DNA sequence: CGGGTCGTTGACCGTGATCAAGTAACGTGG
DNA sequence: CCACGTTACTTGATCACGGTCAACGACCCG
């Protein structure tokens, strides 16, 4: 399989030019594959955390089951993402991970990072940078939850997904639409809402002319107005990794 | 200044035994110091992000000013923390940072991480691990905000601070108390509440016998009951970094 | 055709926001 | 050391958003 077909390489290449050696290093990481069917669990809260994953294809979701029966969705994972690194320092999984659609993962042991650091230090740094950006994305979500109401929360999520998916699929930009394989309950569990308020919010977003919906496909009609409405910042732009080469 | 006095070394040593070489590597990072007075800004949203910091002493806080005049506190920084790394991959600061009390920082350029990766790869990995744990902490906050009410949110924050401060100051555990140099408005801005509900929540926590307050000092009376109440998980325990040495 | 999941709609209610007034603590200068 | 002004905290009244409960409708699959 040619290197160029690696989603992870593709994601990294958005930000730096990879050398042949680095391409090979990544290809080695993706040697093994694991196929996950829809609704299948990759791991469960409390499991011993030994691996990280690179998402080759599909959609996955990390979540926690709370004591009172509620659920908190922590993160969504798309092709090209690294995931499962929340427990890099911890013995046990702090969340469970489930596939929302049939997916393919490349598992790698935590120690692969040690190796990576020695052999291709630039990649190791890049991963560090990407983790830190993921942190910014989660803070964005936190802010949306803490400081805006249902409508804005839902709109923020849709905008985030639009921009995230556009990175690996330019079609999203040209058509303005993307598939959203999440139930409204799941969206609610991500945003601290109930399925009811998600339903109301999405209807209202449609009525206001921001989006249209067709089954599970969402189309943005007024992207710019939408971004303005929630003061959306695209963290996938504005990258600057020049520090990696100057040492 | 002897290496052992470095807060950062102390934090790292909690999890791995550092070699002399590694101690020296850290000491080099902390060569320069910058003193920050109370209420002084370290950097502001939109600034070009060129540095990271290690907190030598004090309390600092990262926050964002929202369009509508609200504020979102993103993170608190204590002695031994690394901070300012949210923008590792980004050109511009996504938040501002201010000192809550007189503080001392050690600034280091982003490129120091590149150097660190080459010279003391274990430390680089450790930093990576710590960043990922910070991510877990922020997810914990997100969960508290999204899925619990005012009383529980405030209690969660107090418990977090108790355990965080205990890492560097054993006195916190023996006395059960710590200083909280935050106004209730600031606490509200962290938890998505108003100063009013924070006030009510703290009064109620006192009435219920979880804590007592004396000025800005908080004392836990019923620590275990409190942890149970919010299902608090101490992320500063349960560390496992064995993967760092096996490569 | 029938069972199940998912989404929509409506009625009611509770938590916390908002507004406002009053109290306590702090810092500054006389 | 006190008088003053400022900031922080407390308390109460009102209101709105979203939760809860429930029923219904749409779509999917066997």
């Amino acid at each position: 399989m040619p290197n160029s077909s690696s989603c992870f390489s593709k994601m990294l290449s958005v930000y730096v030019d990879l050398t042949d050696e680095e391409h090979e290093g990544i290809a080695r990481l993706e040697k093994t594959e694991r196929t996950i069917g829809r609704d299948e669990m990759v791991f469960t809260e409390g499991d011993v955390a030994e691996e990280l994953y690179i998402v080759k294809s599909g959609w996955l979701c990390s979540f926690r089951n709370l004591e009172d029966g509620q659920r908190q969705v922590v993160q969504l994972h798309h092709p090209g993402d690294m995931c499962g690194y929340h427990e890099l320092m911890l013995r046990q999984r702090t969340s469970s991970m489930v596939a929302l659609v049939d997916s393919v993962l490349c598992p790698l042991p935590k120690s692969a990072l040690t190796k990576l650091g020695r052999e291709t230090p630039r990649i190791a740094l890049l991963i560090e940078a990407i983790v830190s950006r993921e942190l910014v994305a989660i803070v964005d979500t936190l802010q949306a939850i803490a400081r805006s109401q249902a409508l804005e929360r839902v709109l923020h999520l849709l905008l985030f997904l639009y921009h995230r998916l556009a990175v690996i699929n330019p079609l999203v930009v040209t058509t303005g639409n993307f598939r959203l394989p999440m139930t409204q309950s799941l969206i609610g569990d991500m945003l601290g809402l109930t399925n009811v308020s998600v339903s109301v919010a999405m209807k209202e977003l449609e009525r206001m002319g921001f989006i249209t919906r067709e089954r599970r496909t969402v189309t943005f009609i007024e992207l710019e107005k939408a971004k303005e409405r929630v003061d959306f910042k695209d963290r996938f732009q504005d990258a600057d990794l020049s520090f990696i080469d100057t040492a």
Side-chain angles (χ1 to χ4, degrees), chain A residues 47-190:
Chain A
D47 285 358
V48 175
E50 289 165 326
E51 298 177 324
L52 314 173
Y53 304 92
I54 292 168
V55 182
K56 283 205 96 132
S57 65
W59 267 64
L60 301 100
C61 141
S62 294
F63 66 95
R64 300 176 175 180
N65 283 315
L66 312 195
E67 267 192 328
D68 56 4
Q70 293 191 100
R71 192 170 46 165
Q72 178 62 50
V73 171
V74 167
Q75 216 178 356
L76 298 172
H77 310 288
H78 306 103
D81 280 347
M82 171 165 274
C83 59
Y85 54 74
H86 285 206
E87 296 83 4
L88 193 53
M89 190 168 187
L90 304 176
R91 219 171 52 78
Q92 296 190 322
R93 292 291 179 193
T94 59
S95 58
S96 308
M97 191 160 119
V98 68
L100 299 179
V101 301
D102 294 348
S103 305
V104 178
L105 298 181
C106 300
L108 33 138
K110 283 181 180 179
S111 57
L113 289 184
T114 312
K115 220 168 137 202
L116 212 58
R118 255 193 282 104
E119 292 168 9
T120 50
R122 253 177 29 131
I123 306 268
L125 258 178
L126 231 113
I127 290 177
E128 207 166 327
I130 285 175
V131 171
S132 77
R133 191 192 51 189
E134 205 58 55
L135 213 155
V136 173
I138 291 188
V139 169
D140 287 342
T141 305
L142 186 146
Q143 172 183 321
I145 293 175
R147 291 290 163 183
S148 65
Q149 4 209 61
L151 188 93
E152 280 78 16
R153 291 190 210 178
V154 173
L155 187 51
H156 178 91
L157 175 61
L158 295 179
L159 284 168
F160 172 80
L161 289 172
Y162 174 91
H163 288 89
R164 168 62 186 87
L165 295 171
V167 175
I168 44 165
N169 183 1
L171 225 76
V172 170
V173 178
T174 54
T175 64
N177 68 35
F178 60 93
R179 263 203 99 245
L180 179 61
M182 301 173 73
T183 66
Q184 294 186 344
S185 294
L186 196 67
I187 295 175
D189 287 338
M190 184 159 192

Side-chain angles (χ1 to χ4, degrees), chain A residues 23 32 34 42 65-66 109 128 143 202 211 213 226 228 240:
Chain A
H23 271 296
T32 61
R34 181 172 159 198
V42 181
N65 283 315
L66 312 195
E128 207 166 327
Q143 172 183 321
M202 296 199 81
I211 58 168
R213 290 179 297 162
E228 217 171 293
D240 170 29

